[in-house]
Amino acid sequence: MSDSPGKLKLGALVALVVGSMIGGGIFSLPQNMAASAGVGAVLIGWAITAVGMLTLAFVFQTLANRKPDLDGGVYAYAKAGFGDYMGFSSAWGYWISAWLGNVGYFVLLFSTLGYFFPIFGEGNTPAAVIGASILLWSVHFLVLRGIKEAAFINLVTTVAKVVPLALFALICLFAFKLDIFTADIWGEGSPDLGSVMDQVRNMMLVTVWVFIGIEGASIFSSRAEKRADVGKATVIGFITVLLFLVLVNVLSLGVMTQPELAKLQNPSMAAVLEHVVGHWGAVLISVGLIISLLGALLSWVLLCAEIMFAAAKDHTMPEFLRRENANHVPANALWLTNAMVQIFLVITLFSNSTYLSLIYLATSMILVPYLWSAAYAVLLAMRSETYEQALAERKKDLVIGGIALLYAIWLLYAGGVKYLLLSALLYAPGAILFAKAKREVGQPIFTNVEKLIFAAVVVGALVAAYGLYDGFLTL
């Protein structure tokens, strides 16, 4: 290790944001979007997402600059604004979302390899699960060697995955046909899509999924060389990724029709490029996706361990999660994370959980941390905290925070009751770790308000458990 262990420069932080945002989602985007919305709804949905996510990016930038003492991003903001249990829930929800997303990545990775080797099928055959397990523990031991080294490998894979995306955009730009794009703007030819409002709602969860990772730099704030770089990296990363996502989605809709796209197997970008240039296009995208997923897995394993470690450092998570190895890597947090991924990989063998259902669940788990971050930004501006000399800035940040908060609430609504209940089922058991952390510092577990919140979570979890048993809820 160097004399400044693991300090990350702007380039490495941008690569963490871009690397964690560009995972598998973008490669499946043409089919995922076409399955839930027509061209018009897709454009409306992207407009809402761009504004909502940009305000969220600004929220993370503002909070990184105004509260430089808070390390660990999403988790620390919830705790500072709304108490220990909310802080814990944010860290717990974020952590579950991150490793669930990794399970989804493994399924997609081996589904892509299934294109070359049929034994891997849709990514949830026994051979795929064995392959995924070997890869999982290889990444695990790589990360144990050091955060800075892993961040450098992430930088390399981020550059490698952007190249096929840029090629795809360029080729599809020349193949784009306006008559295909405008053939059925509102999806009226596909009655199962529902109303335009329904279409917008249904595509929103997919758009959130492809943006998860926007907070990547803020999670690593304590390891940044310059504090101001955290906010810069968030905004640069966001704009880069937004551009790629919209290009991939919109250009595909001018190459193949919405019903054709909806029927494609994922990664659907491969099939779109194959449609334009033949077989080598599918191979190019598949190889790009494999590199991309390997890089994203690395980013997310780092983020998982870091959020648990940050929460344990200030006694919101139990003491054992604070332990670092000689390379300054939170080893216990890493073991716990990857053990959970392993368990869920085995579960995919016995359950029909596809990539998309894992993604929806992971997305609904992350909405709560996003909501609290936006709410904290609003709270600071309303109290004028840190704005003593900057009244004009306070008004601007209040508006931006307000829009981000409304967007986060709208996302919870778009996710629907099913995913809220399933989230409660995953949130409830976390209280065991919270209670352990509180005992270690000799504090009472819940305040009176937190007791009520916890009771509501338990009720939701019981309803979800009964729903899964009775069959009116499915994974």
Side-chain angles (χ1 to χ4, degrees):
M1 274 292 188
S2 62
D3 47 348
S4 65
K7 288 296 175 193
L8 302 174
K9 291 186 162 63
L10 178 64
L13 288 168
V14 171
L16 265 166
V17 176
V18 175
S20 46
M21 283 165 86
I22 297 183
I26 190 167
F27 291 88
S28 305
L29 203 57
Q31 185 278 334
N32 291 171
M33 289 301 193
S36 45
V39 172
V42 162
L43 294 175
I44 294 168
W46 275 120
I48 297 171
T49 302
V51 173
M53 277 291 172
L54 185 61
T55 55
L56 210 48
F58 283 141
V59 159
F60 286 123
Q61 183 180 33
T62 304
L63 291 175
N65 294 337
R66 294 205 163 270
K67 285 287 182 181
D69 50 319
L70 294 181
D71 289 329
V74 285
Y75 135 76
Y77 303 143
K79 178 172 174 167
F82 307 97
D84 289 355
Y85 182 57
M86 283 301 111
F88 171 85
S89 296
S90 258
W92 178 252
Y94 188 88
W95 176 71
I96 290 180
S97 171
W99 63 252
L100 260 183
N102 267 357
V103 178
Y105 280 161
F106 277 118
V107 171
L108 185 63
L109 176 62
F110 281 86
S111 163
T112 308
L113 287 168
Y115 179 86
F116 303 104
F117 311 103
I119 189 171
F120 294 133
E122 292 277 302
N124 49 8
T125 61
V129 169
I130 291 165
S133 304
I134 293 168
L135 182 60
L136 168 70
W137 295 105
S138 306
V139 171
H140 175 85
F141 289 109
L142 173 72
V143 173
L144 283 176
R145 298 184 59 175
I147 298 274
K148 198 174 181 186
E149 286 75 357
F152 173 71
I153 295 168
N154 180 56
L155 181 64
V156 174
T157 56
T158 300
V159 173
K161 68 174 98 166
V162 165
V163 173
L165 294 178
L167 267 172
F168 177 89
L170 198 63
I171 293 167
C172 288
L173 194 60
F174 288 105
F176 186 86
K177 291 190 176 64
L178 198 60
D179 54 334
I180 294 180
F181 187 71
T182 54
D184 180 15
I185 287 221
W186 301 112
E188 284 151 3
S190 308
D192 51 335
L193 288 180
S195 69
V196 173
M197 177 68 172
D198 281 343
Q199 292 176 43
V200 171
R201 233 187 86 183
N202 291 336
M203 72 158 278
M204 289 307 271
L205 270 189
V206 181
T207 60
V208 181
W209 167 249
V210 289
F211 277 118
I212 290 179
I214 190 172
E215 67 302 306
S218 69
I219 303 269
F220 280 92
S221 48
S222 66
R223 296 183 193 265
E225 205 170 58
K226 290 200 198 92
R227 198 59 194 223
D229 285 350
V230 172
K232 273 189 216 151
T234 303
V235 176
I236 294 168
F238 168 77
I239 290 166
T240 309
V241 175
L242 177 67
L243 196 67
F244 273 121
L245 289 166
V246 174
L247 280 173
V248 165
N249 192 191
V250 171
L251 291 174
S252 300
L253 286 161
V255 172
M256 293 168 82
T257 63
Q258 178 264 326
E260 284 173 334
L261 288 169
K263 287 196 197 86
L264 294 179
Q265 189 187 338
N266 280 320
S268 45
M269 255 178 84
V272 174
L273 202 57
E274 186 169 30
H275 180 79
V276 181
V277 298
H279 183 63
W280 72 265
V283 174
L284 173 79
I285 294 300
S286 298
V287 170
L289 172 57
I290 290 164
I291 294 170
S292 181
L293 284 170
L294 291 171
L297 277 168
L298 191 57
S299 288
W300 280 104
V301 168
L302 291 171
L303 286 169
C304 279
E306 192 67 21
I307 191 93
M308 290 302 249
F309 173 66
K313 264 202 315 200
D314 65 3
H315 311 293
T316 307
M317 287 279 177
E319 182 72 34
F320 76 95
L321 291 168
R322 281 176 65 172
R323 293 196 193 117
E324 290 183 294
N325 67 8
N327 298 326
H328 302 279
V329 176
N332 286 357
L334 199 62
W335 281 103
L336 179 65
T337 298
N338 290 335
M340 292 307 295
V341 174
Q342 182 66 70
I343 291 165
F344 264 67
L345 278 173
V346 174
I347 290 173
T348 61
L349 273 178
F350 305 104
S351 117
N352 295 332
S353 52
T354 57
Y355 170 68
L356 257 188
S357 57
L358 282 165
I359 290 332
Y360 283 149
L361 189 54
T363 304
S364 59
M365 290 300 291
I366 210 160
L367 296 181
V368 174
Y370 282 178
L371 180 86
W372 291 124
S373 296
Y376 184 52
V378 171
L379 196 67
L380 285 185
M382 281 171 70
R383 288 180 183 156
S384 293
E385 196 179 320
T386 74
Y387 289 94
E388 290 74 15
Q389 313 300 324
L391 283 178
E393 261 185 63
R394 184 181 86 92
K395 282 182 187 151
K396 181 193 77 174
D397 287 350
L398 189 58
V399 171
I400 289 172
I403 295 168
L405 184 59
L406 286 173
Y407 176 63
I409 293 167
W410 151 259
L411 287 175
L412 280 172
Y413 160 74
V417 175
K418 170 186 167 177
Y419 287 106
L420 265 180
L421 290 172
L422 288 171
S423 298
L425 192 55
L426 290 169
Y427 270 110
I432 298 166
L433 283 182
F434 182 64
K436 183 169 165 42
K438 283 290 192 184
R439 279 222 190 88
E440 284 170 358
V441 289
Q443 290 176 350
I445 298 173
F446 293 118
T447 63
N448 287 336
V449 175
E450 288 171 350
K451 279 179 192 161
L452 291 173
I453 295 166
F454 179 61
V457 172
V458 170
V459 170
L462 291 172
V463 173
Y466 179 71
L468 287 172
Y469 166 76
D470 192 50
F472 69 80
L473 277 184
T474 52
L475 247 184

